[in-house]
Amino acid sequence: MSPSIRLFSADLDGTLLGNPESSQRFKTAWTALAAEARPLLVYNSGRLVDDLRRFVDDGTLPPADYYIGGVGTQVFDVPAGRMLDELHVHLADGWDRVRVRELVAQFPGVRPQPDEFQHEFKSSWFLDGARPEDIRELRRRLGEARLGVKLVYSSGRDLDVLPRHATKGGALRWLCARLQIPLETVLVAGDTGNDASMFRLPGVRGIIVENALPELYEATVDVPTYSSRQILADGVLDGLCHYGVVCVLPTKEKTRQTRAKMEPGFRMLFTGTKLGSLSDKEKVFLATAYEQALLALQKNITPLGFSACSLADNTVTGTDVNYRSVWARDGAITVWNTLQVQDEEVLSAGVRTLETLLSATTPTGQIPANVRIDDGQPDYSGVGSICSIDSGLWLLIAVHNYAMRTGDHSLLYRHADRLQSIMNWLSAHDSNNDGLLEIPEAGDWTDLFGRSYNVLYDEVLWYRANVCYGRILELMGQHARATDYLRWSQRIRTRVLDVFWPTTKAGDPAGPPANQNRFADRQSGLGDTQYLLAEITPFAFNWRCDVYANVLAFLMNLLDVDRARTAFRFMWGVGVNQPWPVANLYPVVQAGDPDWRAYYTVNLLNLPHHYHNGGIWPFIGGMWVRFIHRLGFHEVACRELVRLAQLNQLGRDQEWEFNEWAHGTTGRPMGKAFQAWSAASFIRACQEVEADPKNLGEA
């Protein structure tokens, strides 16, 4: 039996903060604890103490007992109402802030952070996309100057130079010693590399939230922690339940009255949108929709796993015969979305899907686009004999999620060599070793659409696949190799944000260095974007908004909350969710546009507002609902969920067909009926916004 928790130390940004609604749920749950049983609460942040206090003063967070600010350089005793200056004696040995500033300022690429992030024992800088060798070189220069310092680099940008005894973990150890609290009774929570020192204190227990950056996984790869499957403060609450600190979680409905007020700018954005709690009639409708989604999903269960669509309810001719298959991307997405469904047939079909696809891996590591259900034959190319890059990407993500959710690691060991070969095959598509994959035209889910080279959708999945494979190796005890992939995923993330979200804000401390050679500068025409661009090539860029890829970027934890909100504001503003949630692309490609291809008329699929050219996809609609909910707009997410249910109800021949896609302007259902991923994505959306009447589990 582990000793009970006496002190809880939590990071703020990206952990307790980021979604006002989940922060409110944490506050509700924490204040509901009996005073005699409640652990001491410590907010441990890179922010300075005065900044930390305002989140309690404005009601965002519950009162703390202690604040640790400035990355472990300040400790404030709340009951005593004073700063514990005794810590500064501990920090001062070997510290010379003036000399530190002089030396760091000479290092290539650094810019000082604003004054509010600086103080006597903290020198903070921006350094974009620094490599491990860059940090080692800076550490060497400071060491040669005989300065006793510690470098903390996190989020691919933030560099803190601190006294050698200062870190979040160092200050926490000092505080615990002062309070005579054993580290074995301490619980910590965080999301980035500057939280790692807390997790590495001997004996502490830890919560890593789902949105954590790979740098924290890398730093704690050999440390037992609890990895929550939920993000931000909801992930913290999940971890508190795991460790027995919190026994009852507040539901989203129960905390409606205490929900944080919506920011005025977003309140105006939702003008005309009905908000507030769902009516009883709407709740009954969603309960019906949920049951119908389960029925639609069960129609896709076959001996080989999940089919793309119901075999019994669809007639196929010509090239449509490939719908009678277990598709890698469709199947993996279906597995990813249904792991929390408490139905043995569904879970068993998910395992068979993964086994079918993994068993068809080529010796070089290629995953088939699909495996025919009638004869078991794999197909490694699509209509145009082009490989499917995202097949392997989605499969790795699904395998990792299966292992984490179920605790069954046998699949990992049975297919260890195949999983490695898949990563090798995918890595070979980074032909210039810049971290990004080079995609052949129409080489992913948009298999009749003209995108190529660096395609946002594929790069988002490539980032997540590296994180997932690193975590797979961690589960198998291969910590050194896990670290390699987790470190590489950080490089991919930095590259994606740098290349696909151009900005001209070179003079802004939070923007790029003035001398950085950016794509937007070279093209002299793009300026600042409000979303991740759809495609980048050496010769051009595609400025369209790939709605699906931008939503995925946030769900896959590549895009931070602030940029995700900016992208959402744009997408909502232009109406990508009209007439139904949600179109995959904005704006559509019209005939005569430079991006138009003659083959868009094949089977009349990619006419404007059709299929991949701005069609409405219910499976993306489910992700759209989750995207909105994770941003902290629960009521808006519920309304979009009702609209998605209405779309799924329409049908071409009967109600509740969960069709493949719908026309982008008329909203009429198109494509095959009883599509597995349409049903699965709706189920997952219900569970995430807690609209599942059976409350079958968290997201």
Side-chain angles (χ1 to χ4, degrees):
M1 294 291 293
S2 300
S4 59
I5 301 299
R6 293 179 56 189
L7 184 149
F8 175 49
S9 173
D11 172 56
L12 264 63
D13 295 281
T15 304
L16 288 178
L17 300 177
N19 179 327
E21 294 181 347
S22 63
S23 298
Q24 195 64 230
R25 285 189 286 276
F26 169 76
K27 180 181 178 182
T28 300
W30 190 263
T31 54
L33 294 174
E36 64 275 9
R38 187 188 304 147
L40 292 175
L41 179 59
V42 179
Y43 294 142
N44 199 335
S45 173
R47 295 174 183 260
L48 301 184
V49 165
D50 287 344
D51 198 16
L52 296 177
R53 296 169 70 174
R54 69 183 175 89
F55 294 106
V56 174
D57 295 342
D58 67 12
T60 300
L61 294 172
D65 297 287
Y66 292 89
Y67 297 111
I68 295 177
V71 198
T73 58
Q74 297 176 310
V75 178
F76 187 86
D77 183 335
V78 176
R82 74 177 185 91
M83 198 77 74
L84 299 182
D85 294 328
E86 300 94 314
L87 175 69
H88 295 172
V89 177
H90 179 63
L91 299 179
D93 181 31
W95 175 250
D96 184 340
R97 182 169 177 261
V98 173
R99 184 66 176 137
V100 165
R101 188 174 181 86
E102 290 175 353
L103 287 174
V104 176
Q106 299 172 17
F107 196 77
V110 299
R111 296 108 63 210
Q113 292 187 21
D115 289 343
E116 61 262 32
F117 300 113
Q118 314 282 356
H119 80 89
E120 181 183 0
F121 291 101
K122 178 172 177 279
S123 183
S124 296
W125 306 78
F126 293 121
L127 180 57
D128 294 279
R131 301 167 299 175
E133 51 265 37
D134 297 326
I135 302 301
R136 286 196 294 269
E137 172 59 19
L138 178 57
R139 185 179 291 113
R140 184 191 66 78
R141 295 186 187 187
L142 292 168
E144 285 184 349
R146 299 184 182 279
L147 291 169
V149 300
K150 184 178 290 292
L151 302 185
V152 178
Y153 184 69
S154 61
S155 304
R157 188 194 68 170
D158 300 327
L159 173 67
D160 293 307
V161 185
L162 310 168
R164 61 185 168 195
H165 298 304
T167 57
K168 287 185 174 183
L172 180 60
R173 183 201 288 266
W174 181 87
L175 177 62
C176 288
R178 179 186 178 90
L179 298 174
Q180 297 184 334
I181 293 178
L183 292 178
E184 291 77 13
T185 65
V186 173
L187 177 63
V188 303
D191 73 305
T192 69
N194 74 357
D195 299 316
S197 59
M198 293 196 295
F199 287 84
R200 297 201 68 84
L201 292 176
V204 304
R205 284 164 277 180
I207 303 166
I208 298 181
V209 291
E210 167 68 12
N211 56 289
L213 295 181
E215 61 195 30
L216 182 56
Y217 290 125
E218 177 191 347
T220 60
V221 70
D222 57 343
V223 177
T225 60
Y226 177 71
S227 294
S228 175
R229 304 298 291 165
Q230 300 195 49
I231 69 169
L232 302 170
D234 286 327
V236 173
L237 279 174
D238 175 44
L240 289 172
C241 283
H242 173 78
Y243 287 111
V245 177
V246 172
C247 298
V248 179
L249 290 178
T251 65
K252 298 171 180 66
E253 186 64 24
K254 287 180 180 178
T255 57
R256 183 181 67 83
Q257 296 299 328
T258 59
R259 187 166 295 134
K261 291 182 179 179
M262 188 180 295
E263 300 162 36
F266 281 102
R267 188 163 58 245
M268 290 299 297
L269 184 69
F270 300 129
T271 299
T273 300
K274 179 183 177 183
L275 298 178
S277 296
L278 297 178
S279 67
D280 289 342
K281 183 178 179 180
E282 288 168 326
K283 292 177 182 178
V284 170
F285 176 65
L286 283 179
T288 300
Y290 188 89
E291 293 300 325
Q292 291 294 331
L294 287 173
L295 292 174
L297 182 65
Q298 289 162 352
K299 285 175 174 284
N300 288 275
I301 294 176
T302 77
L304 296 187
F306 289 117
S307 56
C309 62
S310 170
L311 305 186
D313 294 279
N314 290 280
T315 302
V316 295
T317 59
T319 57
D320 274 5
V321 71
N322 61 18
Y323 278 86
R324 296 184 62 83
S325 303
V326 173
W327 278 81
R329 80 176 65 88
D330 299 47
I333 290 172
T334 300
V335 172
W336 180 57
N337 280 315
T338 56
L339 286 171
Q340 62 272 41
V341 173
Q342 303 300 311
D343 183 302
E344 285 302 320
E345 288 188 1
V346 170
L347 295 176
S348 179
V351 176
R352 292 199 303 275
T353 301
L354 301 179
E355 289 281 7
T356 294
L357 296 167
L358 286 167
S359 297
T361 307
T362 67
T364 58
Q366 184 180 358
I367 290 294
N370 60 79
V371 176
R372 299 282 195 266
I373 292 171
D374 295 327
D375 58 14
Q377 288 299 307
D379 177 9
Y380 296 93
S381 60
V383 175
S385 296
I386 304 169
C387 69
S388 171
I389 301 292
D390 58 336
S391 292
L393 296 169
W394 269 115
L395 185 58
L396 286 164
I397 293 168
V399 167
H400 166 252
N401 277 267
Y402 168 80
M404 290 292 289
R405 172 68 65 174
T406 66
D408 176 13
H409 300 168
S410 62
L411 187 76
L412 309 182
Y413 289 99
R414 284 199 305 276
H415 296 284
D417 291 342
R418 289 189 175 108
L419 291 169
Q420 182 64 65
S421 70
I422 294 167
M423 282 301 297
N424 294 345
W425 186 84
L426 290 166
S427 297
H429 289 81
D430 177 8
S431 60
N432 57 6
N433 200 41
D434 71 341
L436 302 180
L437 302 182
E438 288 79 57
I439 309 299
E441 185 165 321
D444 56 26
W445 91 284
T446 56
D447 47 10
L448 281 172
F449 205 66
R451 299 188 305 192
S452 63
Y453 208 75
N454 295 148
V455 178
L456 175 62
Y457 161 80
D458 299 284
E459 309 303 350
V460 169
L461 294 179
W462 177 229
Y463 160 75
R464 192 60 190 171
N466 274 267
V467 175
C468 288
Y469 190 61
R471 302 302 310 280
I472 285 172
L473 292 172
E474 179 184 344
L475 291 174
M476 298 173 69
Q478 300 181 36
H479 296 153
R481 295 180 59 226
T483 296
D484 289 339
Y485 283 97
L486 292 169
R487 184 176 298 133
W488 189 247
S489 71
Q490 297 169 58
R491 173 167 169 75
I492 297 167
R493 180 176 184 268
T494 299
R495 286 284 296 157
V496 171
L497 294 177
D498 183 56
V499 171
F500 287 88
W501 193 293
T503 177
T504 59
K505 299 178 183 178
D508 186 335
N515 61 353
Q516 186 162 328
N517 185 18
R518 289 185 156 261
F519 182 83
D521 300 330
R522 297 200 302 271
Q523 295 297 315
S524 302
L526 191 57
D528 297 306
T529 61
Q530 300 179 57
Y531 51 84
L532 292 161
L533 303 180
E535 170 194 37
I536 303 290
T537 79
F539 314 106
F541 59 85
N542 188 319
W543 51 267
R544 285 182 166 80
C545 178
D546 183 334
V547 176
Y548 178 25
N550 273 270
V551 168
L552 266 185
F554 186 50
L555 296 183
M556 296 294 185
N557 305 319
L558 183 148
L559 200 60
D560 57 86
V561 172
D562 289 339
R563 275 186 274 209
R565 285 189 163 211
T566 298
F568 170 67
R569 181 185 289 276
F570 173 84
M571 293 187 287
W572 183 277
V574 300
V576 299
N577 60 333
Q578 299 297 333
W580 301 112
V582 64
N584 74 302
L585 182 72
Y586 176 86
V588 301
V589 181
Q590 301 283 354
D593 188 289
D595 291 333
W596 181 263
R597 303 285 194 277
Y599 62 78
Y600 287 3
T601 60
V602 171
N603 295 338
L604 301 181
L605 274 180
N606 279 317
L607 302 179
H609 305 288
H610 282 230
Y611 208 53
H612 295 137
N613 191 5
I616 292 169
W617 292 78
F619 90 93
I620 305 176
M623 298 183 194
W624 168 256
V625 170
R626 294 169 54 209
F627 173 71
I628 296 171
H629 178 256
R630 289 190 176 199
L631 287 174
F633 304 125
H634 175 71
E635 293 177 1
V636 180
C638 287
R639 294 296 161 189
E640 290 295 275
L641 184 63
V642 170
R643 297 179 64 238
L644 179 60
Q646 292 168 340
L647 169 61
N648 287 326
Q649 183 185 21
L650 288 180
R652 301 179 70 181
D653 299 314
Q654 57 183 298
E655 286 191 341
W656 300 112
E657 282 191 347
F658 291 86
N659 294 92
E660 182 179 12
W661 60 283
H663 192 276
T665 55
T666 69
R668 292 173 182 166
M670 311 283 283
K672 302 303 181 187
F674 302 105
Q675 199 83 8
W677 63 5
S678 297
S681 187
F682 180 79
I683 290 169
R684 178 78 175 273
C686 284
Q687 293 171 332
E688 184 143 325
V689 302
E690 211 172 72
D692 168 15
K694 297 179 181 177
N695 195 24
L696 292 179
E698 74 279 3

